[in-house]
């Protein structure tokens, strides 16, 4: 008989489901629960092995005949923005980023709904209610931060209340060696701003300020247009069968 220590994580495997990135393929995930005081240390360890967090679950792909999902992390101390990234930063000089505890608001949910309805209306998050959204933000037993990006008000230096409209939100974890972008969304009608790129650039700076080495971006899938943007942030490391290896494509 197998006896499990009460604090030993148990891993489970999902049933096959359609792959959201590569047409005609199926995906499976292996997952475990992040619970109790050991959750932060467990997430640190699992992140080294390519796991991601969603609420109190850590998961990673476990597809039988496919290894297309590659874990990616940016080397923040060596990162230098490209000319196009510098232009994105310049276009967003009027934004103020404020990091706080993960507290959901109706304003965030309105922006989230606008983003999902415009960009991912047929995706798995399309049916999320305001309660589902609140659970996504709050349900964490690790060090999770919420970063709001607002238009700069005339007196932003002196009062957060002077900041204007909310245009983007990121939910991110702080781990022992870096930050991990768990989920982000933005105003889909602000295309000229390239807000997805702006949030990653800001997270590189936030990670540096915390004295950490890596910004974890999740999975890059070669051949998936949804994931092409991740490869632009270099230098970066990819998780291979030999461990984390430097990639400069």
């Amino acid at each position: 008989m197998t006896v499990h220590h009460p604090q030993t994580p148990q891993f489970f495997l999902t049933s096959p489901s359609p792959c959201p990135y590569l047409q005609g393929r199926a995906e499976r995930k292996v997952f475990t629960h992040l619970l109790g005081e050991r959750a932060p240390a467990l997430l640190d360890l699992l992140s080294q092995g390519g796991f991601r967090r969603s609420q109190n679950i850590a998961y990673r792909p476990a597809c039988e005949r496919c290894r297309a999902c590659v874990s990616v992390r940016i080397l923040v101390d060596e990162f230098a923005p490209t000319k196009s990234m510098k232009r994105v930063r310049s276009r967003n000089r009027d934004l103020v980023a404020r990091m706080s505890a993960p507290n959901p608001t109706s304003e965030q949910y309105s922006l989230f709904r606008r983003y999902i309805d415009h960009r991912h209306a047929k995706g798995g998050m399309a049916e999320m209610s305001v309660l589902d959204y609140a659970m996504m933000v709050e349900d964490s037993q690790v060090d999770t931060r919420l970063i709001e990006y607002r238009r700069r008000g005339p007196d932003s230096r002196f009062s957060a209340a002077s900041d204007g409209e909310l245009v983007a939100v990121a939910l991110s974890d702080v781990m022992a060696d870096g930050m991990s972008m768990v989920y982000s969304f933005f105003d889909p009608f602000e295309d000229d701003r390239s807000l997805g790129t702006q949030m990653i650039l800001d997270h590189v700076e936030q990670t540096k300020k915390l004295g950490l080495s890596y910004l974890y971006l999740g999975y890059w899938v070669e051949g998936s247009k949804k994931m092409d943007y991740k490869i632009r942030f270099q230098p970066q490391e990819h998780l291979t069968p030999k461990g984390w290896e430097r990639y400069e494509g």
Side-chain angles (χ1 to χ4, degrees):
M1 181 177 69
T2 301
V3 178
H4 293 283
H5 188 277
Q7 294 197 11
T8 300
Q10 298 184 47
F11 292 86
F12 307 90
L13 189 64
T14 66
S15 300
S17 60
C19 176
Y21 305 117
L22 299 175
Q23 189 173 4
R25 300 194 191 184
E27 70 165 359
R28 300 187 80 176
K29 292 185 177 75
V30 61
F31 69 94
T32 189
H33 297 280
L34 297 168
L35 300 172
E37 61 183 17
R38 296 185 62 192
L42 180 58
L43 179 62
D44 287 344
L45 178 64
L46 292 176
S47 294
Q48 291 295 320
F51 279 73
R52 298 284 289 163
R53 183 183 72 83
S54 176
Q55 295 178 235
N56 285 320
I57 288 176
Y59 69 91
R60 67 162 295 168
C63 307
E64 294 178 3
R65 299 178 182 176
C66 180
R67 296 294 181 270
C69 291
V70 178
S71 294
V72 172
R73 65 187 187 186
I74 300 171
L75 299 165
V76 299
D77 290 331
E78 299 180 51
F79 175 77
T82 63
K83 289 182 179 179
S84 64
M85 291 175 185
K86 289 179 181 178
R87 289 194 292 269
V88 170
R89 218 159 44 182
S90 179
R91 286 198 296 271
N92 288 286
R93 325 189 269 282
D94 62 330
L95 295 188
V96 178
R98 297 196 183 278
M99 183 184 291
S100 64
N103 296 316
T105 66
S106 57
E107 185 184 24
Q108 293 166 17
Y109 181 70
S110 294
L111 179 62
F112 170 78
R113 275 265 53 104
R114 202 153 65 241
Y115 171 78
I116 291 295
D117 292 345
H118 188 74
R119 292 289 188 96
H120 303 288
K122 296 182 180 179
M125 304 178 84
E127 302 302 321
M128 284 182 66
S129 67
V130 65
L131 180 59
D132 295 328
Y133 173 78
M135 289 291 290
M136 180 179 75
V137 173
E138 293 178 321
D139 197 8
S140 170
Q141 296 194 31
V142 301
D143 186 359
T144 300
R145 316 283 178 89
L146 188 127
I147 302 96
E148 292 187 339
Y149 298 84
R150 295 180 179 275
R151 300 184 196 277
R152 189 185 301 276
D155 299 316
S156 293
R157 294 183 182 179
F158 310 106
S159 171
S162 68
D163 294 343
E165 180 187 1
L166 181 68
V167 298
V169 175
L171 189 67
S172 303
D173 292 338
V174 177
M175 303 185 299
D177 65 351
M179 290 189 74
S180 175
M181 297 185 71
V182 176
Y183 190 71
S184 60
F185 54 94
F186 51 85
D187 189 335
F189 302 109
E190 295 274 4
D191 288 335
D192 292 343
R193 286 185 178 272
S194 299
L195 288 165
T197 296
Q198 173 61 24
M199 282 191 281
I200 294 176
L201 293 173
D202 180 67
H203 272 69
V204 168
E205 296 305 314
Q206 300 278 6
T207 304
K208 286 182 182 179
K209 289 178 182 177
L210 292 170
L212 303 173
S213 301
Y214 307 108
L215 175 60
Y216 289 81
L217 293 184
Y219 303 114
W220 169 62
V221 182
E222 188 171 8
S224 171
K225 291 183 179 180
K226 294 179 181 179
M227 296 295 178
D228 280 348
Y229 71 93
K230 295 184 180 182
I231 210 68
R232 298 189 293 115
F233 296 86
Q234 297 193 20
Q236 59 185 230
E237 290 183 341
H238 290 185
L239 184 58
T240 74
K242 297 179 181 179
W244 289 97
E245 295 187 333
R246 191 182 183 95
Y247 177 91
E248 293 184 75

